[in-house]
Amino acid sequence: MCGIMGYVGKNDATQVILNGLAKQEYRGYDSAGLALRFDDSIKNIKIVGRVSELKKLVEASDFGGAVPASGMGHTRWATHGGVNVTNAHPHESADGNIVLLHNGIIENAREIRVKLEAEGVVFASDTDTESACQLLAKLYHGGDALPAMTKLCDSLTGAFAFVILIRDRPGEIWCARKGSPLVVAHDGGASYCASDPTALLDYTHDLFFMEEGEIARLTEDGCGFFGFDGSPREKQSIFLQWDSVMADKGHYEHFMRKEIDEQPDVLRLTIEAHTDITSVDMEKTLKLPPGLMSRISRVQFVACGTSYYAALTACNLMESLDDTLNVRADVASEYRYRNIGRGDDTLAIFISQSGETADTLSAARIAKSKGVHRIAITNVRGSTLDREVDHSLLSLAGPEIGVAATKTFTAQVALLSILVLQLLKLRGALSTTDEARLIGGLRSIPTKQQAILARDLDIKALAEKYADSKGFFFIGRRENVPLTLEGALKLKEIAYLPSEAYAAGEMKHGPIAMLDEKLTVVAIVPQNDLREKMLSNVAECRARNAPIILLATDGDDGVKAIGNDVIFVPATEKELFPLLGVVPLQLFAYHVAKTLGRDIDMPRNLAKSVTVE
Ligand code: M6R
C-alpha cells in the first residue's frame, strides 16, 4: 500500500514526482504529499485527497522562481492514524533536519515514541512513520548519513520502504527497504526511486529492485547500495520489457475497461509462449529438477483475492486430471496456520499479480522454511515473489492499473492451466487426448473472448437494468464456483454492492432465505453435464421471485424461458469455461459501477497492492 516516488537530478523534480505519483495512485489514495528540496530549504506540501488536487496546490505555490532538483512524494493508504493533512506523508522531524516518507507498518513505533517523548521530542502526527523520522533525527549527527541509516533500520521492527531527505545533505536521497517494495533506477543524469516499476518506465527500463535489508543512496551521478550492516553491495539491474504506453489509459475512460479489452491479446501471448498446436511446451520456460514431479504427492496453490480464485480454478483442473495427487488451494493469510507438510514431496505454487502481496510472500517464506519446492506465477518481473522462489513464471499481462484485477486473472488462469498440464505430463499423468483437447481449447479462447467483448452493449443494457438491485447472488457448480466468487468480488469491489457467491447446491441450506424480487441471481449454466442440476437450482430461486440472469452457452436457446435475461458465451471445454465466463461478469460489474457513479479505477478503501499483512 502507498505509492512512493523520489527524484534527484538536474531537472525540475516537481513534475517527475507528480507524474510518478499519478502513475502509482492506485496503490493508495487517502491523501498525498511531496517534499521539494531547494538550495537551503525543503518545502513540504500535503493534502487530503487525490494527486490531481496536490498538483493544483503545488502549481499554485510560489517558490520564488526557484527550481527543486530533488524531492519525493507519497500517496497514502492509511494504516496508523486517521486521514488528515498532519498524518499525510512526508513527515518532518521536530528539529527540521529529516523529512521522511514510508510505505509499511512500524510495529515498535509506540515504544520508540514513548521513549523519544520522554526525552522531550514533540510529535506532530498519530502515525507510526513519524517515530522512524524522529528517531533518525536523533541518530544523525551530521556528515555521512549511512551510520545513522543502519542504526535506524536495526532499531525498527515491522515493514518499511523509506525515502528520506536530510536537510544538510543536498543532492542526496536515502532509501531503505524491509518488507515493502522499492525499485531504484539511474539514467545518466538522474536517479529515481518508486514503489512500482511502472512509475519509472518513462525514464528507463533498467531497474534495481531493492532486496530485503538494503539501504540505497541516490545522487545525480548514480546509486550506491548497502546492507543494514553498512557494507557496500553490488547489484545487477533487471531490464523490464514493459512499454510506458501500456500503462496509459489511451482513449478509454477507465483503466479497468481498457484492461478487460486487452484480454484476448494477453491470452494469445501467454498461451503461445508455452504451448504448441496440440501440446504443452514449457521446456524452455520452466526447468524443474529431474524426477521432481514423480516424487511429489502434494500440490498446494496459494494466493489472495482474485489470484486465489485463479488458484482454485487450477486446483480443480489438477484434481480432475490426476486422482493420485493431494491437491488444495489456500488463502495465503491462512496458509501459515495449517500444518502444510514438510520436505520435498510437496510442491507449492504461489500466485500474485504484483508479486508483492505481504500475505503471499509470508506464505512462500513459510513454505521455504519447511523445505517445500516453490513455483511462483507473477505479473511483475523483478518483484519480490519473482526473485524469492525456486522457479518463477510470468503471466505476460503487462501493467495492470485498475484496482480490480481483470486481464491478470485470465492470464493467471491460462498460465496455471498450462502449468498444470506440464506438471502432470512430467508425472506421466496426462493423456495425449486430454492434452490435445485442452491445449486446442485454450488456443481458441482469445477469439472467443473477442466475440464476447463485441456483445458489450447488451451487457451494458443489462447492467443498467439491474443496477438498482439490493444485491446479487452468484451461483455455479464445480469449475464455475471460483468464477462465481470472482464475479461477486468484482461487484463488491467497484460497485460496493452486497454480492455473494455460492456453490449452487448450497443455496437451499440457508442463503435462499434472503431471496426476493430485489435480490438478483446470476447463475452460471454452461451446456455441460451439470446443466440440468443447475437449472433445478435456478428454478428454486425463481420460485422465490428473485430476478435471474443466466450465463449460458451460445445456441442453448432452451434456457431463455428459465431466466429473466441471458448472457450467451461461445462453447468451450468445460474446464476452460471460467476463461470465457469471467469476461461478461467483469463487463457487468464495470457497467453497474459506472451506472452507480462509482470511482471504478480507484474504489474506496482499497489499494492495488496489499503490502501489509
Ligand atoms: O497482487 P496480488 O495478485 O497478490 O493481489 C491479490 C489481491 O489483493 C487482488 O487480487 C485483489 O483481490 C484485487 N483487487 C481483485 O480485483
Side-chain angles (χ1 to χ4, degrees):
M1 337 288 255
C2 303
I4 288 177
M5 182 77 191
Y7 171 84
V8 50
K10 292 186 174 58
N11 296 325
D12 183 350
T14 321
Q15 289 316 319
V16 179
I17 292 164
L18 287 169
N19 182 33
L21 290 186
K23 289 215 155 86
Q24 298 177 92
E25 198 167 16
Y26 58 86
R27 297 183 62 90
Y29 31 84
D30 295 334
S31 56
L34 90 183
L36 299 171
R37 158 145 232 142
F38 297 90
D39 283 346
D40 54 358
S41 65
I42 298 173
K43 292 259 179 321
N44 204 352
I45 303 174
K46 314 198 274 192
I47 52 125
V48 169
R50 299 290 168 93
V51 174
S52 53
E53 289 153 48
L54 178 69
K55 188 166 189 258
K56 279 189 215 143
L57 191 61
V58 171
E59 284 170 354
S61 305
D62 176 16
F63 302 125
V67 175
S70 63
M72 60 189 189
H74 186 270
T75 59
R76 178 171 187 237
W77 188 86
T79 57
H80 290 51
V83 178
N84 57 44
V85 172
T86 317
N87 289 340
H89 299 218
H91 290 279
E92 195 170 332
S93 60
D95 65 4
N97 210 16
I98 305 291
V99 183
L100 175 150
L101 52 81
H102 166 224
N103 171 22
I105 293 179
I106 310 294
E107 287 167 0
N108 57 343
R110 176 126 296 276
E111 230 172 282
I112 295 169
R113 184 177 182 131
V114 168
K115 189 163 172 286
L116 291 176
E117 281 178 337
E119 290 170 20
V121 177
V122 178
F123 277 65
S125 76
D126 308 319
T127 63
D128 53 332
T129 304
E130 195 185 342
S131 293
C133 182
Q134 303 286 13
L135 179 59
L136 182 59
K138 279 270 169 191
L139 295 169
Y140 177 65
H141 307 294
D144 183 6
L146 183 59
M149 285 296 295
T150 60
K151 279 189 204 134
L152 173 73
C153 296
D154 263 358
S155 316
L156 301 176
T157 58
F160 52 82
F162 289 132
V163 183
I164 300 164
L165 298 178
I166 301 176
R167 195 166 298 273
D168 64 5
R169 303 291 298 175
E172 273 181 13
I173 290 182
W174 286 88
C175 305
R177 179 212 159 132
K178 183 185 163 212
S180 302
L182 202 55
V183 54
V184 164
H186 179 71
D187 80 340
S191 294
Y192 308 81
C193 61
S195 302
D196 220 318
T198 46
L200 302 181
L201 297 180
D202 283 342
Y203 313 105
T204 176
H205 289 237
D206 267 318
L207 307 175
F208 296 98
F209 288 85
M210 287 186 68
E211 303 285 345
E212 288 297 282
E214 242 171 27
I215 293 171
R217 175 178 172 268
L218 313 188
T219 67
E220 64 177 46
D221 299 322
C223 315
F225 298 95
F226 311 89
F228 278 2
D229 60 358
S231 60
R233 288 204 175 165
E234 282 299 315
K235 271 180 92 65
Q236 287 300 318
S237 64
I238 291 180
F239 186 84
L240 195 70
Q241 218 137 19
W242 286 355
D243 191 334
S244 59
V245 180
M246 289 162 99
D248 197 278
K249 230 182 324 192
H251 66 275
Y252 284 89
E253 189 181 348
H254 298 104
F255 277 108
M256 182 185 178
R257 187 67 190 80
K258 173 175 179 256
E259 288 156 3
I260 291 173
D261 271 5
E262 285 172 352
Q263 292 179 103
D265 289 340
V266 162
L267 260 70
R268 232 170 246 125
L269 252 185
T270 305
I271 295 165
E272 279 169 14
H274 305 287
T275 67
D276 245 322
I277 302 296
T278 53
S279 55
V280 274
D281 180 14
M282 289 190 124
E283 298 270 295
K284 291 191 211 79
T285 46
L286 180 69
K287 297 204 187 311
L288 295 177
L292 175 76
M293 282 316 295
S294 318
R295 287 201 302 276
I296 293 295
S297 63
R298 269 188 297 232
V299 179
Q300 301 161 347
F301 294 90
V302 187
C304 301
T306 289
S307 298
Y308 170 63
Y309 304 147
L312 280 174
T313 306
C315 176
N316 284 345
L317 177 67
M318 190 166 225
E319 195 179 59
S320 73
L321 294 171
D322 185 345
D323 61 6
T324 66
L325 274 175
N326 176 336
V327 193
R328 57 177 287 156
D330 279 284
V331 167
S333 56
E334 290 294 310
Y335 184 72
R336 62 176 50 191
Y337 307 123
R338 285 190 46 231
N339 189 351
I340 61 167
R342 185 175 281 283
D344 72 354
D345 67 335
T346 305
L347 172 67
I349 300 169
F350 298 90
I351 305 120
S352 170
Q353 183 282 129
S354 59
E356 300 292 353
T357 298
D359 288 320
T360 310
L361 291 175
S362 300
R365 289 169 190 154
I366 288 168
K368 182 177 185 192
S369 73
K370 306 237 169 161
V372 166
H373 207 84
R374 300 172 308 154
I375 297 179
I377 287 196
T378 121
N379 195 41
V380 184
R381 179 157 143 73
S383 61
T384 308
L385 189 63
D386 177 48
R387 285 178 286 121
E388 285 194 6
V389 293
D390 307 309
H391 306 279
S392 181
L393 291 165
L394 284 181
S395 51
L396 304 180
E400 186 177 70
I401 311 294
V403 164
T406 52
K407 63 174 177 172
T408 55
F409 172 73
T410 42
Q412 286 168 346
V413 172
L415 185 51
L416 279 163
S417 306
I418 298 167
L419 174 64
V420 162
L421 298 184
Q422 176 71 25
L423 297 176
L424 295 183
K425 193 169 178 177
L426 289 171
R427 209 175 143 71
L430 179 68
S431 72
T432 47
T433 321
D434 275 337
E435 183 177 11
R437 178 177 69 81
L438 289 165
I439 294 297
L442 269 172
R443 292 176 76 93
S444 70
I445 292 289
T447 312
K448 291 176 181 173
Q449 284 185 336
Q450 256 154 354
I452 298 169
L453 290 168
R455 299 171 193 179
D456 179 45
L457 283 180
D458 297 338
I459 297 167
K460 177 171 181 269
L462 269 191
E464 286 164 358
K465 176 173 167 186
Y466 288 96
D468 69 343
S469 294
K470 71 175 183 198
F472 290 83
F473 262 84
F474 289 74
I475 57 171
R477 283 176 180 259
R478 204 175 50 204
E479 62 277 350
N480 294 321
V481 173
L483 178 58
T484 63
L485 289 159
E486 177 58 5
L489 180 63
K490 290 294 88 111
L491 267 175
K492 283 180 206 158
E493 275 186 299
I494 60 167
Y496 318 147
L497 286 178
S499 42
E500 295 293 329
Y502 275 97
E506 275 293 290
M507 280 295 282
K508 53 184 160 308
H509 297 289
I512 202 165
M514 292 176 70
L515 294 190
D516 61 27
E517 63 287 346
K518 291 299 286 174
L519 219 158
T520 301
V521 173
V522 182
I524 320 288
V525 196
Q527 220 163 17
N528 63 19
D529 51 315
L530 299 176
R531 177 180 178 276
E532 302 313 318
K533 274 200 197 308
M534 275 305 301
L535 289 180
S536 303
N537 298 137
V538 170
E540 291 155 11
C541 298
R542 187 120 204 223
R544 271 82 192 170
N545 299 323
I548 312 280
I549 303 174
L550 298 177
L551 194 58
T553 309
D554 273 348
D556 187 5
D557 292 338
V559 299
K560 280 188 184 157
I562 296 160
N564 299 68
D565 286 287
V566 187
I567 303 173
F568 285 108
V569 301
T572 185
E573 297 302 318
K574 64 176 191 297
E575 297 92 332
L576 304 179
F577 187 81
L579 283 169
L580 294 184
V582 75
V583 178
L585 299 187
Q586 295 165 345
L587 287 170
F588 184 76
Y590 172 81
H591 289 300
V592 169
K594 203 172 157 197
T595 308
L596 297 176
R598 307 297 195 224
D599 190 344
I600 293 179
D601 281 335
M602 287 184 262
R604 70 184 182 201
N605 304 339
L606 293 179
K608 179 80 180 158
S609 186
V610 184
T611 54
V612 292
E613 285 184 7

